[in-house]
Amino acid sequence: MTPTLESLRLGDPALAPVADRVLAGERLDRDDALVAATTTDLLGVGRLANLVRERLHGDATFFNINRHLNPTNVCVASCALCAFSVPFRRAAEGWTYSVEEAVRVAERDVDETVTELHIVGGLHPKLTVDYWEALFRALRERFPRVHMKALTMVELDFIAGASRIGLDELLERLKAAGLGSCPGGGAEIFASRVRDLICDHKTGGERWLEVARCVHGHGLKSNCTMLYGHVETPAERVDHLLALRALQDETGGFQCFIPLAFHPENTRLAHLPPTGGRLDLQTMALARLVLDNIPHVKAYWIMLGEKIAQVAQHFGADDLDGTVVDERITRAAGGKAGRGMARARLESLIREARRIPVERDTLYRPVGREELSSPDREAPRRAAPGPAGP
Ligand code: V47
């Protein structure tokens, strides 16, 4: 059935012009986005985002089998938002793996089902390009079929500076060593008012975008994020998304957007409350509606919790991320997700949310596993029948 303004049952008249544009497949402008960010009609904005999500991906929800690897937590930036890092002057209290140690840590959990290593860490002044090249080469030799999604825009910027080379040279050397794509972290909120409060020592918003432009120019795909639920305003959220959309119009290099719910525990912002379900779901919907040129929106279950990540599959999200073995950044800030999730559990969460699980690799190509193949995988647009559901 083709949806109409009436069938959307909007509870806020201000959403009507936004709905008109969504129904017509038109781009939202800043005013529309502000309405979507601030309306009290959560279900209305969710229905609009779900419409867009189903147009793009039907009932499919993507996931992957991945493992996180943090080669160091030593960091010269001391961001108020972070509970993960230890300062360089207290490096002995943290960890910095040699290449051999990092490979050994990865070996603990990488079996033949893993398709991705997600590699990020602190800004360690001694870990220059030579270290990262050696690490990627060693990991590629040990796990030749595993994609390395590594180094945020902030880390790339820092490593180029610490190595006294330009970004172009850095990216070419890392690509040759095995870098496959880049994760989306470190973007936080681009507004300098906010960055001064939560991450004042780190790459600025403009520079983050410039590095992403350069990454895409070198033929690498990347993801992008927004950290919300701290000191930012709805307008600052909207402007962050609009900046990502503008860059994507230019480069087409972003594959996926991930809204990251701020976890305050053990940070210098511990006095702030954690995000609630309303903000989590409204931010997801807002992102799906504004980012009309970024194919995927991810509900990162590690930060949202399993239940909100499931419901988010009806508020614009089409991805849950993955098995995420050994995640440490959110755990340090009070995250309760544990050491990861089994593939079967991920699939059953997706089915219980009345979506169809589709395993993907980092570049969103479907992963065929003969021994696990199910009729759902062949027909990801049909709703899966299930015993219980919303
Ligand atoms: O860069 C740091 C954020 C990011 C906290 O690209 C915090 O596929 C919440 O970027 N509370 C790391 N967030 C996570 C990340 C990510 C995760 C999953 C998939 C992908 C991807 C990227 O988390 C950091 C920072 O922006 N962060 N501290 C905190 N206390």
Side-chain angles (χ1 to χ4, degrees), residues 68 81-83 116 118 120 149 152 182-188 202 223-225 227 258 260-265 267 298 300 303 321 327 329-330 333:
H68 283 220
L81 68 89
C82 183
E116 172 186 282
H118 174 130
V120 292
K149 180 183 79 179
T152 65
C182 297
E188 323 311 3
K202 186 152 104 173
N223 292 337
C224 52
T225 58
L227 184 72
I258 309 124
L260 300 171
F262 179 56
H263 282 54
E265 221 175 292
T267 74
K298 186 186 287 187
Y300 184 41
M303 285 197 190
D321 203 78
E327 196 280 340
I329 296 176
T330 322

Side-chain angles (χ1 to χ4, degrees), residues 5 10-20 32 35-36 39 41-42 44-45 48:
L5 197 53
L10 301 177
D12 175 3
L15 267 180
V18 182
D20 281 338
D32 298 323
V35 170
T39 180
D41 185 7
L42 174 65
V45 82
L48 290 175

Side-chain angles (χ1 to χ4, degrees), residues 96-117:
T96 301
Y97 298 143
S98 66
V99 167
E100 296 70 30
E101 283 167 336
V103 173
R104 268 204 302 280
V105 171
E107 270 170 349
R108 290 207 294 252
D109 298 285
V110 176
D111 63 18
E112 68 288 350
T113 67
V114 171
T115 60
E116 172 186 282
L117 275 170

